[in-house]
Amino acid sequence: MQSYSARIAGNPYIVGSFAYIGGGLFGLDISSMSGVLNNQAYFNVFKNPGSNAQGAIVASMPAGSIVGSLAVTSLTDRIGRKNTIILASAIWVLGGVTQCAAINRGMLVVGRVIAGISVGLSSTVVPIYQSEIAAPSTRGRIVCMQQWLITWDIMLQYFVQFGCLYINGNASFRIPWGLQIIPAIVLGIGMLWFPESPRWLIDNGREEALQILADLHGKGDRSNGLVVLEFEQIKEQVDFERNEGAKSYVDLLKPGVFRRVGLGCSLQMWSPLSGMNVMRAGLTGRRVNLIADSVQYVLNVAFTVPAILYIDRWGRRPLLISGSILMGFFLCLVGGLQAEYGEWGTVDGSSVWVIINHGSVTKAIFVFVCSYLFVSSFAGTIGPVSWTYPAEIFPMKVRAKAVSLATATNWLFNLAIAWAVPPALFSIAWKTYFVFAAFNFAAAVHFTFCFPETAQHTLEEIEEVFWQGHTFSAWAISRDVGKRNLEDLVKGRVDDEKQGSLEKAQIFG
């Protein structure tokens, strides 16, 4: 009879989905600060931070995330994927406690930097872990579910923050910050019962890798033909990569790898440049903001589901290309409405560009609809794919370093946009939407010519995909390139063994 831990490992969806908690910490942090901007108790404790001070407080988290994502390069190779996730959960608890107990801005910033380091670690290592424990047919589905949990955490934390606004005193913001600690504790303790990545184990000469593969993909049967073949495939790939050179940053510059580093980093760049932080238009008043934000958060959760269900069937390329075109289109519509019907006005004492005195447009119905369609487009396309694609395109010897560099790029651009968008909206108003629309259309061109399809391939087969064709002819690469029929390979392996046994019998008989 299988042990409890073996039964857990026997379901890759359970193994992968539990690790989502680590990726979802990012979602908790997003809403943890947005909810305090209407909280007078928060402003009293932290001495009414102005726009620059508040910007620094908000930006401290992505700043820490850059450090955390870069630290993954050495941690995951040294202590493993599983232990890095456990470490990230412990760091999050420390950061959460520091924020919850903060009595001044400095202490709050320190807590957010610490929490940011955890987010950087977890947002990088969780996709790596998931991609290495998943079967090729479900890898995209499993990895992109991290984005789904992020959207859930954003929505749930937003409602917790809003509900706590009705609590008098400092508990109104300390309770939501304190509740963030619970998921990290669950993650850190729960991961003790989950398996390490079999690819990392093989790379480090650990014998239990075969059993973990059997639990994940063969119902515990170590002699299962597909499991044995997968084990041998990974082992051959690890031996090849080990002989190619030492694991160092120099490997990122080698032919075939540097191209993929560029793709991973650029995809993580295009995600924040898609304009999710800009799509807030024509909304005034606390009640209107609650309704509008609530609908957007719900749509963000709902429309991530189709991507989860069909990313492995539809592929990565169609989602990236169609999503960027749709988002660019909706940004142009919002920018056009703002330009035609908007004017400078005053909201909460600040000068902003708003839509007023134009009938139905005054209620921002069209802007609401366009923003909702934009969020839905992001949630179903580039949102989840931006985490899936970088986690699967790199050779094992550089995977941790390359994915961490790509994730650091994401946090770097999130940091830049957090600082750039408010003054952009203040100075060029509606033109900001056209700037981000241009980013989306440029991304669509980039995806079309440079991003080959990786769906339904093993991580080892993807190597062959990237050696096919020219750097700018990804559109011409067949989805069957490098793809092997595992059943045929198993049958061929059995036939070879029979032929070898027959030859031995003839020699010794």
Side-chain angles (χ1 to χ4, degrees):
M1 182 179 293
Q2 283 184 307
S3 66
Y4 177 70
S5 59
R7 291 198 300 272
I8 292 177
N11 190 325
Y13 285 101
I14 295 178
V15 176
S17 60
F18 190 80
Y20 300 150
I21 298 175
L25 297 179
F26 173 35
L28 292 176
D29 187 87
I30 290 176
S31 290
S32 70
M33 291 307 298
S34 63
V36 301
L37 298 181
N38 293 322
N39 192 325
Q40 189 58 46
Y42 167 83
F43 287 107
N44 292 338
V45 171
F46 298 104
K47 310 303 180 184
N48 296 307
S51 58
N52 287 332
Q54 185 61 33
I57 293 172
V58 174
S60 58
M61 191 281 293
S65 298
I66 295 173
V67 176
S69 58
L70 291 175
V72 169
T73 59
S74 58
L75 284 174
T76 53
D77 286 339
R78 291 181 181 179
I79 67 175
R81 283 46 164 159
K82 170 182 170 178
N83 289 332
T84 302
I85 295 175
I86 295 173
L87 176 63
S89 66
I91 295 175
W92 176 267
V93 171
L94 176 61
V97 170
T98 305
Q99 291 180 77
C100 193
I103 58 175
N104 54 50
R105 297 179 194 174
M107 190 173 177
L108 178 59
V109 168
V110 169
R112 286 184 56 75
V113 169
I114 294 173
I117 292 173
S118 172
V119 171
L121 287 172
S122 58
S123 63
T124 304
V125 70
V126 168
I128 295 175
Y129 178 75
Q130 292 168 323
S131 68
E132 293 183 347
I133 59 94
S137 59
T138 61
R139 185 178 61 248
R141 185 180 305 168
I142 287 178
V143 176
C144 78
M145 281 183 71
Q146 171 175 281
Q147 176 67 17
W148 195 42
L149 188 62
I150 291 175
T151 63
W152 270 103
D153 285 346
I154 292 173
M155 182 179 69
L156 294 175
Q157 177 74 337
Y158 175 80
F159 285 117
V160 170
Q161 288 276 354
F162 182 82
C164 288
L165 285 177
Y166 295 95
I167 299 176
N168 294 324
N170 297 343
S172 60
F173 65 86
R174 296 197 189 278
I175 289 177
W177 290 354
L179 291 176
Q180 295 180 106
I181 300 172
I182 297 176
I185 295 175
V186 173
L187 174 66
I189 296 175
M191 282 300 296
L192 296 174
W193 280 271
F194 285 81
E196 179 56 87
S197 160
R199 283 177 169 81
W200 182 85
L201 292 171
I202 293 173
D203 194 27
N204 287 269
R206 302 273 290 274
E207 296 180 357
E208 62 266 38
L210 178 59
Q211 184 59 54
I212 289 176
L213 280 172
D215 291 335
L216 289 170
H217 305 151
K219 298 181 179 180
D221 182 8
R222 293 166 63 101
S223 62
N224 179 285
L226 296 179
V227 170
V228 173
L229 180 63
E230 186 178 11
F231 177 79
E232 293 180 350
Q233 241 186 358
I234 296 173
K235 192 172 183 300
E236 291 174 1
Q237 184 69 20
V238 168
D239 291 339
F240 172 78
E241 290 172 349
R242 185 178 292 125
N243 294 330
E244 283 293 296
K247 297 179 180 180
S248 68
Y249 282 102
V250 176
D251 291 330
L252 300 181
L253 303 177
K254 290 186 176 180
V257 176
F258 182 69
R259 170 192 173 191
R260 281 177 268 184
V261 171
L263 294 180
C265 291
S266 61
L267 178 54
Q268 289 282 29
M269 173 193 73
W270 289 127
S271 180
L273 288 180
S274 64
M276 275 294 285
N277 292 333
V278 180
M279 192 53 77
R280 293 290 186 272
L283 306 180
T284 60
R286 177 175 170 179
R287 184 177 300 276
V288 176
N289 272 307
L290 170 65
I291 296 173
D293 287 347
S294 299
V295 173
Q296 290 201 11
Y297 292 146
V298 171
L299 289 174
N300 201 13
V301 171
F303 277 86
T304 304
V305 175
I308 294 172
L309 296 177
Y310 298 107
I311 185 174
D312 290 305
R313 183 183 304 177
W314 294 342
R316 286 49 158 164
R317 277 172 50 83
L319 292 178
L320 290 173
I321 296 170
S322 61
S324 56
I325 292 174
L326 287 172
M327 288 186 291
F329 174 71
F330 293 129
L331 280 165
C332 286
L333 286 181
V334 172
L337 289 169
Q338 292 275 11
E340 181 68 20
Y341 300 109
E343 60 185 73
W344 290 107
T346 301
V347 176
D348 296 332
S350 300
S351 179
V352 295
W353 187 271
V354 293
I355 297 176
I356 56 176
N357 301 325
H358 288 285
S360 62
V361 179
T362 303
K363 301 176 182 178
I365 292 178
F366 295 143
V367 174
F368 284 153
V369 171
C370 289
S371 66
Y372 296 156
L373 291 172
F374 173 91
V375 170
S376 301
S377 300
F378 178 89
T381 58
I382 192 172
V385 179
S386 65
W387 296 106
T388 304
Y389 199 83
E392 63 186 4
I393 62 175
F394 300 111
M396 180 183 295
K397 67 175 181 178
V398 298
R399 185 170 297 140
K401 290 179 174 60
V403 172
S404 71
L405 188 62
T407 307
T409 303
N410 179 287
W411 292 115
L412 179 62
F413 277 85
N414 270 309
L415 177 63
I417 289 173
W419 282 102
V421 167
L425 290 173
F426 178 78
S427 58
I428 61 175
W430 55 269
K431 297 177 184 177
T432 306
Y433 297 96
F434 288 103
V435 171
F436 282 89
F439 288 146
N440 278 287
F441 294 136
V445 174
H446 191 197
F447 297 147
T448 301
F449 288 97
C450 298
F451 283 68
E453 185 58 71
T454 57
Q456 300 291 336
H457 288 79
T458 67
L459 296 180
E460 289 67 42
E461 290 169 356
I462 290 175
E463 285 297 298
E464 296 185 29
V465 172
F466 278 94
W467 287 104
Q468 298 291 323
H470 190 271
T471 302
F472 302 106
S473 61
W475 55 272
I477 299 177
S478 171
R479 291 184 63 164
D480 294 328
V481 169
K483 193 173 180 180
R484 304 177 180 90
N485 187 308
L486 291 181
E487 282 78 5
D488 291 343
L489 287 174
V490 170
K491 182 178 182 301
R493 178 176 174 273
V494 172
D495 291 342
D496 289 343
E497 290 179 351
K498 289 181 178 179
Q499 181 64 30
S501 299
L502 179 61
E503 292 174 354
K504 290 179 181 178
Q506 291 173 344
I507 292 174
F508 294 104

